[in-house]
Amino acid sequence: MARALIVVGDGFTDSEYTYALDRCREEDIVVTVATLSGADAIGEKGWRAKCSGWSTGGVLRIAQNHKYNDKLSYNGPWDILILPGGVKSIEKVRQDRDTLEIIKLHHQAGKIIASMCHSGQLMIESGLARGRRISGYYSIETDIINAGGEYVRDVVVDGNIVSAPHYDLNGKWMKAVLEAWRASDDYKA
């Protein structure tokens, strides 16, 4: 059974969250929603992201318990990590060390990371932009470049990271996320 983890904070972009959630459900992917506090988050336009009862700290503890052979390898319960944007949300989430560690663990394990809009800043903060083709909201183009990444103004897949600049591309973004997941070892297992 496939599982996705969506991490959001207050001020997330409603359509980026709801579209990703709906597409996962259409694919029978079980979704866990985590927030910084473990309480529901409220989007820019008032949409409520129903938290699954997990704070990012709790998710990190679960992820760390899935390390094996004393390595940083992660074989945790989530196949896809989804990071919707929203400038207000990401400004808070990018300061959360637990979230950044979750992103790093997913990346090290080759798990799919879906980054939309301002969550490109999470790719920067977690050290994943350097040497990669990354998309994000147009206003963070210089930030991605300064972090050593190549900015792309479209949906882009670079290894296990699927990123997009704007919710206008929700459909194309989630199509690429699901295709990357189907091509991954997690899907084939």
Side-chain angles (χ1 to χ4, degrees), residues 60-130:
L60 179 58
R61 284 189 295 279
I62 292 293
Q64 289 170 332
N65 287 337
H66 282 82
K67 291 181 185 180
Y68 57 96
N69 297 333
D70 297 322
K71 296 179 183 176
L72 289 176
S73 299
Y74 168 66
N75 190 22
W78 298 286
D79 305 302
I80 304 169
L81 173 61
I82 300 173
L83 305 166
V87 68
K88 289 180 182 178
S89 171
I90 298 304
E91 190 57 33
K92 295 171 195 154
V93 173
R94 71 188 278 200
Q95 296 175 56
D96 181 62
R97 295 293 160 210
D98 293 337
T99 300
L100 299 178
E101 187 64 22
I102 291 164
I103 293 168
K104 290 174 189 176
L105 286 172
H106 273 78
H107 173 67
Q108 290 168 349
K111 303 279 185 175
I112 302 301
I113 299 173
S115 168
M116 171 58 89
C117 194
H118 278 89
S119 65
Q121 291 175 322
L122 297 174
M123 299 302 96
I124 294 168
E125 290 293 331
S126 59
L128 301 182
R130 179 168 303 285

Side-chain angles (χ1 to χ4, degrees), residues 9-182:
D10 285 330
F12 63 87
T13 301
D14 301 63
S15 66
E16 295 167 6
Y17 165 76
T18 58
Y19 191 84
L21 180 67
D22 289 344
R23 285 296 293 122
C24 286
R25 287 178 174 166
E26 288 171 1
E27 297 290 328
D28 292 324
I29 297 171
V30 175
V31 177
T32 300
V33 178
T35 63
L36 302 183
S37 67
D40 293 354
I42 306 299
E44 293 171 329
K45 298 192 183 333
W47 186 267
R48 182 176 298 272
K50 293 277 190 197
C51 181
S52 301
W54 289 96
S55 69
T56 52
V59 167
L60 179 58
R61 284 189 295 279
I62 292 293
Q64 289 170 332
N65 287 337
H66 282 82
K67 291 181 185 180
Y68 57 96
N69 297 333
D70 297 322
K71 296 179 183 176
L72 289 176
S73 299
Y74 168 66
N75 190 22
W78 298 286
D79 305 302
I80 304 169
L81 173 61
I82 300 173
L83 305 166
V87 68
K88 289 180 182 178
S89 171
I90 298 304
E91 190 57 33
K92 295 171 195 154
V93 173
R94 71 188 278 200
Q95 296 175 56
D96 181 62
R97 295 293 160 210
D98 293 337
T99 300
L100 299 178
E101 187 64 22
I102 291 164
I103 293 168
K104 290 174 189 176
L105 286 172
H106 273 78
H107 173 67
Q108 290 168 349
K111 303 279 185 175
I112 302 301
I113 299 173
S115 168
M116 171 58 89
C117 194
H118 278 89
S119 65
Q121 291 175 322
L122 297 174
M123 299 302 96
I124 294 168
E125 290 293 331
S126 59
L128 301 182
R130 179 168 303 285
R132 292 184 165 271
R133 298 175 70 231
I134 298 286
S135 191
Y137 194 69
Y138 317 116
S139 66
I140 66 170
E141 175 179 357
T142 302
D143 300 326
I144 291 170
I145 293 168
N146 287 341
E150 177 187 338
Y151 179 78
V152 178
R153 192 176 276 216
D154 198 356
V155 174
V156 62
V157 178
D158 188 326
N160 62 319
I161 299 173
V162 182
S163 55
H166 194 269
Y167 59 76
D168 286 347
L169 297 169
N170 272 340
K172 187 175 179 182
W173 172 59
M174 282 306 295
K175 180 180 181 187
V177 168
L178 294 170
E179 286 174 354
W181 168 65
R182 285 186 192 104

